[in-house]
Structures are given as C-alpha cells and as structure tokens.
C-alpha cells in the first residue's frame, strides 16, 4: 500500500499537504504539517469530525515535528466502506496500522480526541512498541461497555436495526444544501462550535456540487459500534502501554469523573496512574465537543495549574508521563493550546 501523493514530495516545514493512502475499499485521506524529516505525530479526530479538527492546534505546537491528521473511514475525505459492511471500532484501529505502514513509521506519537483517543489507546495496547507518547484529549483511552447487560444488548440491537434500515430504504442521493444552510445545520447540531469553527470542519466534511454542498460522511458511522470490553479488561490492557501518557479531560464534558453515568472514568484514570512510573495531575479550564477549533489560541497557559510532581516539571519540554487535566469554557481553548506546547 502506498500514498497517492509521495511522502517524499511533502514541502518544507510549516507547509500543509494533502495525502491519500490506498486501501482495498478506496483510500484514507490525511493532511500533514511540516517536514517528513520531523519527529512523527499521528493525530486522530473524534466521532463525526475530521482531520481539520487539528487545524488550530498544530501551528501552536513545536515546529520540529511532522504532524499527520487522518480522516477515519466514512469521515471527511476518506472513502466509505463497501455496501453491507458496518463500521466497527477495530476497523479504525486497523486504519491507523495501514497508514503508519504506508508511511514506514516504526515509532511515533499518537494524539487522539474523543473517539480518536479510544482508537489511540487500543492501538497503543496492541502495538505498544510503536508508540512512544500517547496524548488523550477528552478521552480515557478506552470506552468500556455498559455495566448493565440489557443496555449493551439494546445498543447492539440498535446498530443492527439501523444498518438494515439504511439498506432496506431505496438509496437516495445526498441532499444538496446551500453553503450557509450546510453550515447552520452543523452549528445547530453542535452548539459548542463557532461559525468559523464550523467552516473549518465543513472544508473536509462537505463537498461542493452543482447547486450547493453535500455532506461527506457515511450515514453508517452514526451507528456507534464500540467493542464490548469490560472495565476490568480495559484496566488490564492498558498495562501493555509502553508510551508516556498525557490525559486531558473536560471538566464539563462527558468524561467528568463526577458523572455517575460514566462509571469507568475514575477507575481508568487511577489505573493509568498506578501502572506507570510517574503520574501527575493538572487542571485546565472547557467542555467535551471542543474539537480544538473554538479559540484562536492566542491565550497563554495562565490557568494551567500543575499539581504534585508536575508542579516541579511545568517547564519541562518533554511529555509528562501521565497528566490528568480538567478544562472548561470551550471558547478559551488557548489555555489548552498553551499547555499543549509542553506535550512533545
């Protein structure tokens, strides 16, 4: 498998390039910042997002790295799966393996937001020797199955019924919307986004056609088909991770450990801390669905408050082994950006 755009043809540091990696069902699209000679970082977006999630963040990170953000299958500019095939969680993990094999990356840093964080966490367990640093943003690295068996069975039933319903209905051409209508629909469904942020996501999330725009994503990705792993299994798996880990959790997001519905957050955080040599806590003020887009990044890290061991290492340029951060105020993500400068 090779990229449709030769990796060696990427421009000098500071430039952005588009790439496509051939896969049996089409291609995986990606965009790269910087020089191919830079230290490699693979960036994984969240559910229903795309690689443009990282547009605002990457320019604020160290320049001597090569940042590659890929669109998962069925998202952004990547090909849809063949008819009759659902999107399984492990498919996304295998896509990471396909892309890094094409790039001939044997060891690299993984940064994942939300679903991308779960994919990054699982990849780091399956291929621990390949990941030197793991950055989880609004993710615990895993998303265990519900404790109640009825909830799990109900969720799988909905996945199957939704897929069959899509197949039974006569395929309709994508609805064409005006650019403004496409943007407003996106903003209505994602109240956390600013208009500018929405436009950034639509650059990859929609395609211009005669009369307007159509959304790119495959409707089948709406059936969120996670693996059925228990909390105990996830806690055991993460022991395989060899990478240094940074975890950033939104204070007002779905992974807030105080939320009873997310029973697994605190145990997973504790498992990460207890199974790595060093663990430190910090706090940064925001919400869950922030996809790095909602602030220009001009704010400094004023509200980043390292605690414990991290307090003495707050100026360290290397990634801290484990940091669990909280942030709130989606529109103040510059503070997060400021802290992210120390990740790498």
């Amino acid at each position: 498998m090779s990229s449709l755009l030769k990796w060696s043809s990427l421009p000098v540091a500071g430039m952005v390039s588009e790439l496509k990696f051939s896969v049996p069902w089409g291609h995986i699209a990606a965009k790269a910042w910087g020089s191919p000679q830079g230290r490699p970082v693979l960036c994984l977006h969240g559910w229903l997002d795309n690689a443009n999630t990282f547009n605002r963040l990457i320019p604020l990170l160290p320049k001597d790295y090569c940042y590659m953000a890929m669109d998962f299958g069925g998202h952004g500019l990547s090909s849809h799966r063949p008819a009759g095939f659902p999107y399984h969680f492990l498919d996304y993990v295998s896509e990471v393996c396909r892309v890094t094999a094409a790039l001939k990356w044997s060891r690299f840093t993984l940064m994942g937001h939300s679903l991308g964080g779960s994919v990054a966490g699982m990849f780091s367990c399956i291929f621990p020797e390949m990941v030197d640093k793991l950055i989880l943003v609004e993710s615990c690295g895993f998303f265990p199955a519900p404790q109640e068996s009825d909830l799990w069975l109900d969720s799988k039933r909905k996945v199957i019924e939704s897929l069959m319903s899509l197949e039974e209905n006569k395929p309709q051409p994508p609805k064409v919307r005006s650019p403004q209508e496409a943007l407003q629909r996106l903003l209505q469904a994602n109240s956390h986004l600013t208009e500018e942020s929405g436009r950034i996501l639509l650059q990859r999330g929609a395609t211009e056609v005669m009369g307007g725009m159509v959304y790119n994503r495959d409707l089948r990705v709406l059936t969120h088909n996670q693996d059925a792993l228990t909390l105990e299994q996830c806690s055991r798996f993460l022991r395989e991770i060899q990478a240094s880990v940074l975890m950033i959790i939104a204070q007002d997001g779905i992974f807030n450990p105080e939320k009873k519905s997310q029973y697994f957050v605190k145990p997973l955080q504790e498992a990460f801390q207890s199974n790595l040599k060093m663990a430190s806590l910090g706090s940064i003020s925001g919400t869950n669905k922030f996809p790095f887009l909602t602030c220009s990044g001009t704010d400094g890290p004023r509200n980043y408050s390292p605690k414990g061991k991290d307090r003495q290492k707050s100026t360290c340029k290397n990634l801290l082994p484990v940091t669990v951060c909280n942030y709130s105020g989606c529109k103040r993500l510059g503070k997060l950006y400021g802290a992210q400068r120390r990740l790498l």
Side-chain angles (χ1 to χ4, degrees):
M1 177 184 61
S2 61
S3 65
L4 300 185
L5 174 63
K6 294 294 185 181
W7 176 234
S8 60
S9 70
L10 283 180
V12 297
M15 299 294 287
V16 180
S17 291
E18 292 286 342
L19 295 93
K20 291 182 179 180
F21 300 93
S22 297
V23 292
W25 62 92
H27 67 266
I28 295 295
K31 63 188 303 182
W33 291 259
S35 166
Q37 283 71 48
R39 294 169 59 185
V41 180
L42 186 64
C43 307
L44 308 178
H45 64 78
W47 184 48
L48 304 183
D49 292 333
N50 57 60
N52 276 10
T53 289
F54 300 94
N55 275 21
R56 291 284 191 82
L57 176 63
I58 300 304
L60 298 166
L61 295 181
K63 307 302 181 185
D64 55 338
Y65 286 76
C66 174
Y67 301 96
M68 178 77 66
M70 56 182 279
D71 292 326
F72 286 131
H75 295 73
L77 300 178
S78 288
S79 298
H80 295 186
R81 295 277 175 174
F85 288 84
Y87 288 82
H88 291 287
F89 172 76
L90 201 60
D91 292 335
Y92 299 135
V93 179
S94 69
E95 289 173 6
V96 172
C97 195
R98 291 176 184 274
V99 168
T100 54
L103 293 170
K104 294 181 171 54
W105 285 0
S106 60
R107 192 164 174 81
F108 52 91
T109 293
L110 267 177
M111 175 162 58
H113 165 238
S114 193
L115 169 65
S118 296
V119 173
M122 183 57 69
F123 184 92
S124 298
C125 294
I126 299 174
F127 302 97
E129 74 284 358
M130 297 184 68
V131 184
D132 60 356
K133 297 169 185 175
L134 174 62
I135 303 168
L136 306 173
V137 184
E138 187 52 4
S139 170
C140 293
F142 301 89
F143 201 98
Q147 289 177 301
E148 300 82 1
S149 58
D150 289 348
L151 289 178
W152 185 88
L153 292 172
D154 184 58
S155 70
K156 295 307 175 185
R157 175 171 179 158
K158 288 179 179 177
V159 167
I160 296 172
E161 290 178 343
S162 296
L163 290 170
M164 292 183 66
S165 177
L166 285 172
E167 293 170 359
E168 289 171 359
N169 294 328
K170 186 177 180 180
Q172 299 293 323
K175 183 175 180 179
V176 178
R177 297 179 169 85
S178 69
Q180 190 60 30
E181 182 184 1
L183 175 62
Q184 289 306 314
R185 183 175 174 83
L186 176 65
L187 296 179
Q188 289 170 6
N190 301 273
S191 59
H192 61 284
L193 288 177
T194 65
E195 184 170 324
E196 184 180 1
S197 302
R199 293 185 190 280
I200 291 174
L201 285 178
L202 281 181
Q203 289 171 4
R204 298 183 80 85
T207 298
E208 291 186 16
V209 297
M210 184 72 69
M213 307 180 76
V214 295
Y215 293 129
N216 291 339
R217 68 170 176 247
D218 190 337
L219 290 177
R220 288 173 294 174
V221 303
L222 295 171
T223 57
H224 211 17
N225 200 4
Q226 286 278 11
D227 279 354
L229 298 175
T230 66
L231 172 60
E232 290 72 25
Q233 287 176 314
C234 294
S235 297
R236 287 199 298 270
F237 289 170
L238 66 81
R239 298 173 189 171
E240 300 298 319
I241 295 176
Q242 299 175 11
S244 300
V245 180
L246 174 66
M247 184 186 297
I248 302 172
I249 299 297
Q251 186 175 28
D252 301 324
I254 62 173
F255 294 106
N256 187 324
E258 302 304 319
K259 289 190 174 183
K260 295 182 180 179
S261 60
Q262 305 296 9
Y263 71 96
F264 56 83
V265 173
K266 192 170 184 179
L268 283 178
Q269 290 180 348
E270 292 174 348
F272 268 106
Q273 294 173 356
S274 63
N275 285 284
L276 292 174
K277 292 181 179 180
M278 295 181 62
S280 49
L281 299 174
S283 62
I284 298 178
S285 291
T287 68
N288 167 329
K289 266 281 200 180
F290 65 93
F292 300 102
L293 294 166
T294 50
C295 179
S296 63
T298 56
D299 293 340
R302 298 189 294 274
N303 288 3
Y304 179 70
S305 303
K307 299 177 181 179
K309 297 176 183 177
D310 195 16
R311 185 177 298 278
Q312 298 176 353
K313 295 177 175 287
S314 60
T315 59
C316 182
K317 294 182 179 179
N318 296 322
L319 169 68
L320 297 172
V322 176
T323 304
V324 180
C325 300
N326 294 320
Y327 59 89
S328 70
C330 195
K331 294 182 180 179
R332 303 294 289 176
L333 283 181
K335 301 165 190 172
L336 172 59
Y337 297 158
Q340 291 271 25
R341 292 177 187 274
R342 294 192 296 276
L343 303 190
L344 302 163

